[in-house]
Amino acid sequence: MQHQPGILYVVATPIGNLADMVPRAVTVLQTVSVIACEDTRHSARLLQHFAIETPCVAYHDHSDEKKVDALLARLQAGEAVALISDAGTPLVSDPGFRLVRRAREQGVKVVPVPGACAFVAALSAAGLPSDRFIFEGFLPAKSGARLKQLQALAGESRTLIFYEAPHRVLECLQDMITAFGAEREVVLARELSKAFETIHGAAVGELAHWVASDSNQQRGELVLLVRGAPPQAEGLDDDAVRTMEVLLAELPLKQAAALGAKLTGLRKNELYQWALARQSDDA
């Protein structure tokens, strides 16, 4: 009789407060044959806290194929394997995709054990529309690529969610001012579930100033949530279009929108979004 493969458990772990560990996750980690950790040293404190003595092996998305093959061999032999990341839900801007993909391709049952996820926690408390949203993960580290990606999202009406490194958060906010305009609402969620948890929202121009003036806000794990773009105007009248065409031929988009608002009496953000849409159509 053919041997049944084991089960790969994808186990979420706390993003800070160890009390957020769900009982089912503890039971799974105590009873599987092996735990695949992003960093075995980092996970040691969590496992010790819950008296989990299951053997661990290092696994991340940069692991060589031999480590993936070794885990798959154990699964095919009928063993149960748990996958965890350093914090939160594996595969959500964390390692695990290659292993899960190959396990499913080989007929291994993959079972999620839900728990903490930083962007979901941030969204639940940000006060931004949560019925429709986009999770973009980490933006590019280099300013030029980061700004280009943000500009491509400027007209998106759904709430935008990003992870960002603390040493880049101020530069990222400044790029958001350029891409979205200084008045777009942004919420910074920092150190969620930890001692210095901070959730602070403001117009991105104000938020950048607040972060720049307090170095503590440039530390720890960060989530940035951006209110989606307002509905675009159906169209401008002919005089407003001609005014904006002249201004855009001579000035950067942001300055053209600001001056256009003074000349036409229309809202600066409305003109900014119209110009963005026009550029997108011309591209």
Side-chain angles (χ1 to χ4, degrees):
M1 184 170 62
Q2 187 177 6
H3 190 80
Q4 286 294 107
I7 298 175
L8 174 61
Y9 292 95
V10 183
V11 182
T13 56
I15 56 177
N17 192 324
L18 293 180
D20 292 338
M21 187 76 163
V22 299
R24 182 183 173 208
V26 175
T27 300
V28 167
L29 294 180
Q30 287 174 333
T31 55
V32 294
S33 300
V34 65
I35 301 171
C37 305
E38 183 177 357
D39 184 331
T40 55
R41 293 169 298 178
H42 182 93
S43 298
R45 174 171 170 259
L46 173 75
L47 301 180
Q48 290 170 2
H49 181 82
F50 290 103
I52 297 168
E53 299 179 352
T54 307
C56 296
V57 296
Y59 170 80
H60 50 77
D61 279 347
H62 299 293
S63 296
D64 60 32
E65 288 299 316
K66 290 182 180 179
K67 287 192 175 182
V68 178
D69 291 341
L71 289 170
L72 290 169
R74 298 184 74 154
L75 288 163
Q76 291 293 2
E79 294 185 28
V81 175
L83 172 67
I84 65 174
S85 62
D86 284 348
T89 301
L91 281 74
V92 181
S93 283
D94 274 331
F97 169 76
R98 283 198 301 144
L99 179 60
V100 169
R101 178 75 176 183
R102 289 192 56 191
R104 290 181 57 83
E105 289 173 348
Q106 294 187 17
V108 173
K109 186 177 182 180
V110 179
V111 175
V113 181
C117 178
F119 92 77
V120 174
L123 181 63
S124 72
L128 294 178
S130 57
D131 54 334
R132 298 171 67 244
F133 59 87
I134 297 178
F135 174 62
E136 287 285 322
F138 284 95
L139 286 160
K142 293 185 178 180
S143 182
R146 181 171 59 239
L147 181 58
K148 183 177 180 180
Q149 185 168 337
L150 289 171
Q151 288 173 330
L153 294 166
E156 173 57 61
S157 62
R158 292 169 287 186
T159 296
L160 301 167
I161 308 175
F162 306 93
Y163 287 161
E164 189 53 276
H167 63 280
R168 289 196 298 265
V169 64
L170 186 55
E171 292 179 3
C172 181
L173 290 172
Q174 291 166 344
D175 285 341
M176 286 182 175
I177 293 172
T178 301
F180 302 146
E183 299 305 313
R184 184 78 73 91
E185 184 180 3
V186 175
V187 175
L188 181 150
R190 186 178 71 86
E191 292 291 87
L192 292 172
S193 83
K194 301 175 186 174
F196 298 102
E197 178 179 275
T198 302
I199 302 174
H200 183 77
V204 65
E206 297 175 20
L207 187 65
H209 178 74
W210 180 72
V211 170
S213 64
D214 183 357
S215 61
N216 287 324
Q217 305 310 323
Q218 301 173 46
R219 298 176 180 174
E221 304 293 330
L222 300 168
V223 185
L224 293 172
L225 305 97
V226 182
R227 178 180 284 274
Q232 295 183 3
E234 292 185 2
L236 306 180
D237 62 39
D238 291 343
D239 288 342
V241 170
R242 284 194 292 270
T243 298
M244 288 302 297
E245 287 176 341
V246 171
L247 293 174
L248 288 167
E250 302 294 335
L251 297 171
L253 190 154
K254 184 178 178 181
Q255 293 179 20
L259 183 55
K262 294 179 181 179
L263 294 173
T264 65
L266 298 172
R267 292 186 301 112
K268 178 176 65 175
N269 195 52
E270 180 181 358
L271 295 173
Y272 185 89
Q273 297 300 328
W274 176 86
L276 275 179
R278 186 184 180 92
Q279 288 182 349
S280 177
D281 291 339
D282 292 342

